[in-house]
Amino acid sequence: DIQMTQSPSTLSASVGDRVTITCRASQSISTWLAWYQQKPGKAPKLLIYKASSLESGVPSRFSGSGSGTEFTLTISSLQPDDFATYYCQQYNSFPFTFGQGTKLEIK
Amino acid sequence: QVELQESGPGLVKPSETLSLTCTVSGGAISSYYWNWIRQPPGKGLEWIGNIYYTGSTNYNPSLKSRVTISVDTSKHQFSLKLSSVTAADTAVYYCTRTLGMEDYFDYWGQGALVTVSS
């Protein structure tokens, strides 16, 4: 299985901050990576696919980059609605695997 | 707008079989892959497996011996069966959609909590 490792596990930030979450794959996955946002009691929501493509309806303050084994999710200016847990997911090969999650907290 | 809705018992006894159904509305069930993902309370996400509308399946090797996913296109539904459950199978189970066999999850159900307990 391809292991996905996110860092940090927890991130404290303020409204207006620029934040970056990193996701590393245990082997190359090209750009077959997605990012999801999950709020308590809700299903994950797709933000980014193919490493850098923004899902329709997702605010442009979210962006993704990377290829191979290292990827980043950046939120350019944090809004109150962005405080949530974020997961990366590889779909290069079966079984699909997720990172352990990064909880974005209000500082 | 595509909507997915999980249904099934919220409580299952140890050693029994967990059964869930996902009903797809607002879109076609053909030409897509339909997945099950689970999330134990307070933990991360685990992909269980998927099925194409033709019935072709792919399973996570960690669960393959206990999992069966099936589809009923006439009812716009697909289902999950997980046998010989233990407390470790307690989780929120999500049904999701992907366009391709190996792809990202663009639509999710709201999730169904299944607790394994006697």
Side-chain angles (χ1 to χ4, degrees), chain A residues 34 36 38 42-44 46 49 55 87 89 91-96 98, chain B residues 35 37 39 43 45 47 50 58 60 94 101-106 108-109:
Chain A
Y36 302 87
Q38 186 178 34
K42 300 294 187 182
L46 176 67
Y49 60 94
E55 172 71 347
Y87 292 94
Q89 175 239 333
Y91 50 100
N92 178 78
S93 60
F94 291 125
F96 305 143
F98 294 83
Chain B
N35 299 255
I37 292 168
Q39 184 173 38
K43 296 187 178 180
L45 298 156
W47 176 75
N50 69 15
N58 298 281
N60 191 325
Y94 294 102
M101 183 173 66
E102 295 177 332
D103 218 334
Y104 53 89
F105 308 106
D106 58 355
W108 295 64

Side-chain angles (χ1 to χ4, degrees), chain A residues 19 21 35-37 39 45 47-48 52-55 57-65 72-79 81-84 86 104:
Chain A
V19 299
I21 299 169
W35 289 97
Y36 302 87
Q37 176 194 67
K39 296 182 178 179
K45 172 189 172 184
L47 300 175
I48 301 282
S52 60
S53 295
L54 192 68
E55 172 71 347
V58 174
S60 59
R61 62 181 179 272
F62 290 91
S63 64
S65 66
T72 59
L73 172 70
T74 298
I75 309 173
S76 60
S77 178
L78 272 175
Q79 299 302 301
D81 190 50
D82 300 339
F83 292 95
Y86 293 84
L104 182 52

Side-chain angles (χ1 to χ4, degrees), chain B residues 40-115:
Chain B
K43 296 187 178 180
L45 298 156
E46 180 181 32
W47 176 75
I48 298 169
N50 69 15
I51 190 165
Y52 195 44
Y53 76 101
T54 58
S56 173
T57 55
N58 298 281
Y59 298 133
N60 191 325
S62 68
L63 296 167
K64 187 174 183 177
S65 64
R66 299 194 291 131
V67 172
T68 302
I69 298 176
S70 58
V71 64
D72 186 334
T73 55
S74 66
K75 293 183 178 179
H76 271 66
Q77 293 178 334
F78 63 104
S79 298
L80 169 70
K81 291 188 184 299
L82 181 65
S83 64
S84 305
V85 297
T86 70
D89 295 310
T90 293
V92 175
Y93 286 76
Y94 294 102
C95 57
T96 71
R97 189 188 83 167
T98 58
L99 177 59
M101 183 173 66
E102 295 177 332
D103 218 334
Y104 53 89
F105 308 106
D106 58 355
Y107 285 94
W108 295 64
Q110 64 184 28
L113 174 62
V114 180
T115 301

